[in-house]
Amino acid sequence: MINDNIKIVEILSKSKTIAVVGASDDWKRPSFYVMKYLQKQGYRIVPINPRLKGQSILGETVYETISAIPFSIDIVDVFRPPQECPDIARQAIASGASCLWMQIGIESDEAAAIAQAEGLTVIMNKCPKIEHSRLSGLLGNGGFVSGLLSARRQTVPTPPIPLRNGGYVESNNPETLAVHAGTRPDGATGARITPLYQTASFTFDDADHAASLYDLQEPGNVYGRLSNPTTAALEQKIASLEGALGACCVASGHAAQLVALYPLMAPGRKIIASKQLYGGSITQFTQTFKSFGWEAELVDINDLDAVRVAVLKPEVALLFAESLANPDGTITDIEALSVLAREMKIPLAIDNTMATSVMCKPGIFGADIILYSTTKFMSGHGNALGGAVVDMGSFDWMSGRHSSLLTDPNPSYHGIRFAETFGKLSYITFCHASVLRDLGPTMAPMNAFLTLMGLETLPLRMRQHNENAAKVAIFLREHQAVTKVSWAGFPESPDYNRAQKYLTYGAGSVFTFVLKDGYKAGQKLVENCNLLSHLANIGDTRSLIIHPASTTHRQLTDEQREQAGIGAGTIRLSIGIENSDDIIADLAGALGVVVSGST
Ligand code: PLP
């Protein structure tokens, strides 16, 4: 059994003829459109189906068995149940084929052992159409990770192999992925930077091509509300950095939450979410989603007993938390939550906006879906709104606690079940093909372009943000005007141990501190900063400062504010990548004014 991307490229590159066992003549069946796709890519397909023996599918004669084929074949692609696979493996060996390929949902260790013993390459639970389109970059409907990096032009189909390793390298290093993943030189022009495809729509080759795209039988771009090549490159980069299967980029972080939840929720279903969330998310979950009939219950995410009781309720469809919470810096015990979610057969979704995949990989600790406001550190320059839904591919949608839009027949796509048709790729495919299509919170291509540029320096920036934040936090702790600094890098912080377990590079660069002299002192401080920008954002290259009590939390009563962890003198900082001496000097100057009482 192989899963190695380069090996699959090799097989698909050197093969010319593919026998398809269980070939259907019905255009709505996967075997039909897989054959059609492969034929279009230049492969000769050979349909095998005893019922249709002697007839013709897609211009090719149908044979009764593999043994009846009078010429040599390279791959045997199997659309039959696992119990038939050992016999098919024996026939594949006798035919001289070099690869036994079992489709999505089909696995047989016995067949694999038989074929491997005779030197055949075995692939299980995968589709050659999806693998070919994923690895050659043809997949327009979603940014699925190819796992392949290359500085060579995109050529389709992938060239035969005189190139070393087919022209690809594989790497899991964030610095390399940030620069290369998803962004090969453009096939048509050689442009080294992924072009900004500033177009609303994409032309069809002919009527048949248009129909296949609309039926999701062929990968490609139809209309900018569903997909765009610049955005697909970004999706691949984000998913690669996460070690995930794929991603769906959308208009904002809030849009990401809507898109991520939509496939799983229904009226009467409930989200269990952390109390320690970004305030805007709390409003979205508890107030706005209510009108969809979606319920939300907030729990103290550090109280695992309370979380356990909450997720036991049968209507619960999802557990949601932030890895590193905005603004109070709480660090979530992702691994413990994932155990609870798995027991209840519900997915665990983690908003990783504040940490990014460079500092924290929630998937390693069992998160199934990871969300981003890419507006923050991911794009990193405060110039592009965006969001991302990332699928680790770890949740088995077919055996979840509830049926869902992924498992139910979809009337808008001829009754297909996404989980059945697209296997592991069903969630992200559904996010594009159904949620973006019908709800429309699509990322603007320009924002995808800017975010792609920003991401190239993400690892460098995150290191610098964290180094600077540590120095600023230490400076503030020593200052006479400050009573408390909420930064998890201090050993006395209640989050210190979790910071050591879950975060690399530091304890984050967004944190709060409290001024002894309260509300007026807070306002005076922000007004006297000259280098730190006074605004409501985080994760910019620039250092940012805000006094929540007079801005983001001003509508709340004193009591509500205190509950949200925001006192009259609380200040939120997002430390940038300037020289730390200059950031500290600016804060020291402004704090001097606060202490002296002058203006
Ligand atoms: N998640 C977190 C942790 C955030 O801080 C924010 C915004 O501040 C969001 C989600 C929402 O993102 P956006 O503003 O891009 O909609």
Side-chain angles (χ1 to χ4, degrees):
M1 232 301 272
I2 62 155
N3 268 324
D4 175 18
N5 289 312
I6 288 177
K7 290 257 175 60
I8 296 180
V9 169
E10 227 171 290
I11 288 160
L12 289 172
S13 306
K14 74 180 185 200
S15 299
K16 292 189 171 58
T17 309
I18 304 177
V20 178
V21 184
S24 171
D25 56 354
D26 177 354
W27 68 271
K28 293 204 280 305
R29 300 296 306 156
S31 64
F32 184 90
Y33 54 78
V34 167
M35 287 189 291
K36 193 170 159 194
Y37 172 86
L38 293 171
Q39 207 175 43
K40 193 167 173 182
Q41 301 309 319
Y43 296 99
R44 177 169 186 191
I45 55 105
V46 188
I48 310 289
N49 184 335
R51 187 175 56 79
L52 303 172
K53 176 185 163 189
Q55 295 181 26
S56 161
I57 301 177
L58 293 163
E60 292 285 352
T61 303
V62 183
Y63 292 93
E64 186 177 12
T65 58
I66 299 171
S67 334
I69 303 172
F71 46 86
S72 68
I73 54 172
D74 302 307
I75 298 176
V76 172
D77 181 23
V78 186
F79 280 86
R80 299 296 303 163
Q83 61 272 24
E84 294 183 27
C85 291
D87 187 46
I88 294 169
R90 285 182 204 100
Q91 290 186 50
I93 294 163
S95 75
S98 55
C99 173
L100 176 68
W101 190 312
M102 288 169 258
Q103 281 286 335
I104 287 177
I106 305 171
E107 295 190 67
S108 164
D109 291 338
E110 190 187 341
I114 292 168
Q116 270 164 343
E118 295 300 321
L120 274 70
T121 301
V122 176
I123 301 170
M124 296 199 281
N125 199 16
K126 284 187 186 297
C127 170
K129 166 182 159 258
I130 292 176
E131 293 308 299
H132 183 279
S133 54
R134 184 176 70 87
L135 295 167
S136 60
L138 278 177
L139 213 52
N141 287 343
F144 297 111
V145 167
S146 72
L148 300 172
L149 312 177
S150 183
R152 296 180 187 278
R153 265 190 194 205
Q154 184 93 41
T155 46
V156 176
T158 311
I161 302 283
L163 301 171
R164 184 173 57 84
N165 285 341
Y168 299 108
V169 297
E170 286 183 299
S171 168
N172 287 323
N173 297 317
E175 296 81 2
T176 307
L177 292 172
V179 174
H180 286 279
T183 50
R184 299 176 59 182
D186 180 52
T189 63
R192 184 62 191 90
I193 299 302
T194 299
L196 166 56
Y197 289 95
Q198 188 65 41
T199 180
S201 214
F202 301 84
T203 52
F204 306 120
D205 298 340
D206 52 39
D208 187 53
H209 179 223
S212 300
L213 286 170
Y214 269 90
D215 288 335
L216 298 182
Q217 293 183 347
E218 189 167 329
N221 299 292
V222 172
Y223 184 62
R225 193 179 338 107
L226 287 80
S227 67
N228 172 287
T230 311
T231 313
L234 173 64
E235 287 163 342
Q236 189 168 155
K237 199 182 283 293
I238 289 174
S240 298
L241 280 163
E242 201 76 57
L245 203 65
C248 176
C249 283
V250 295
S252 67
H254 265 16
Q257 286 165 191
L258 170 67
V259 171
L261 266 54
Y262 187 80
L264 317 173
M265 296 300 285
R269 292 225 178 122
K270 186 180 255 184
I271 311 153
I272 302 299
S274 166
K275 259 186 195 155
Q276 294 90 340
L277 283 191
Y278 161 60
S281 301
I282 291 186
T283 308
Q284 187 192 42
F285 285 9
T286 57
Q287 296 178 32
T288 310
F289 285 169
K290 232 187 198 158
S291 55
F292 298 166
W294 303 355
E295 299 294 326
E297 183 180 326
L298 303 180
V299 291
D300 178 353
I301 212 68
N302 293 326
D303 181 350
L304 289 177
D305 290 335
V307 179
R308 185 175 293 110
V309 170
V311 294
L312 268 175
K313 293 169 193 139
E315 68 274 23
V316 171
L318 185 86
L319 180 56
F320 187 102
E322 287 173 15
S323 50
L324 174 61
N326 177 13
D328 79 347
T330 299
I331 297 164
T332 298
D333 190 349
I334 301 169
E335 197 164 25
L337 294 189
S338 82
V339 171
L340 295 179
R342 221 150 286 271
E343 273 171 23
M344 292 300 123
K345 294 187 186 312
I346 56 170
L348 172 64
I350 294 291
D351 180 340
N352 200 32
T353 297
M354 293 253 291
T356 80
S357 56
V358 168
M359 283 180 70
C360 174
K361 287 209 169 49
I364 292 178
F365 301 104
D368 302 296
I369 300 166
I370 295 153
L371 290 106
Y372 287 103
S373 164
T374 59
T375 319
K376 320 296 180 197
F377 292 99
M378 300 283 262
S379 66
H381 298 75
N383 58 7
L385 234 78
V389 181
V390 182
D391 181 9
M392 292 307 300
S394 50
F395 195 80
D396 180 359
W397 305 109
M398 290 300 262
S399 42
R401 184 183 217 174
H402 302 287
S403 66
S404 70
L405 295 174
L406 301 174
T407 56
D408 294 342
N410 189 304
S412 74
Y413 283 113
H414 301 292
I416 63 166
R417 293 170 202 270
F418 272 71
E420 197 177 70
T421 308
F422 297 101
K424 278 190 172 297
L425 303 181
S426 59
Y427 178 77
I428 286 299
T429 305
F430 188 85
C431 287
H432 286 91
S434 193
V435 190
L436 284 185
R437 183 192 66 174
D438 301 334
L439 300 182
T442 309
M443 179 181 264
M446 177 57 128
N447 286 355
F449 183 80
L450 291 170
T451 308
L452 268 175
M453 292 294 94
L455 270 176
E456 294 196 1
T457 54
L458 182 70
L460 284 176
R461 284 189 284 108
M462 293 312 282
R463 236 173 280 167
Q464 187 70 21
H465 279 296
N466 276 285
E467 259 180 55
N468 285 354
K471 290 180 186 160
V472 173
I474 290 165
F475 159 76
L476 288 170
R477 188 172 58 167
E478 305 303 320
H479 202 282
Q480 52 169 312
V482 174
T483 57
K484 185 181 168 198
V485 181
S486 296
W487 179 69
F490 293 131
E492 65 272 21
S493 160
D495 288 292
Y496 182 77
N497 288 339
R498 284 198 290 270
Q500 303 303 306
K501 173 170 175 179
Y502 287 107
L503 305 181
T504 47
Y505 292 150
S509 54
V510 177
F511 60 91
T512 58
F513 66 96
V514 181
L515 288 168
K516 195 166 59 185
D517 292 336
Y519 196 92
K520 284 273 175 243
Q523 287 188 311
K524 195 177 275 184
L525 181 79
V526 295
E527 281 174 357
N528 277 283
C529 286
N530 296 326
L531 191 71
L532 280 79
S533 305
H534 178 201
L535 55 76
N537 196 14
I538 55 169
D540 196 329
T541 49
R542 279 150 283 271
S543 292
L544 315 173
I545 188 165
I546 199 160
H547 176 230
S550 62
T551 55
T552 52
H553 291 63
R554 68 176 290 115
Q555 266 77 3
L556 306 187
T557 62
D558 286 355
E559 194 190 344
Q560 284 173 323
R561 247 191 11 229
E562 292 295 338
Q563 266 181 9
I566 303 295
T570 299
I571 299 288
R572 183 183 76 188
L573 290 174
S574 173
I575 298 300
I577 61 171
E578 305 96 332
N579 187 299
S580 58
D581 290 346
D582 296 327
I583 303 170
I584 290 171
D586 196 42
L587 277 169
L591 283 166
V593 176
V594 170
V595 172
S596 71
S598 60
T599 47

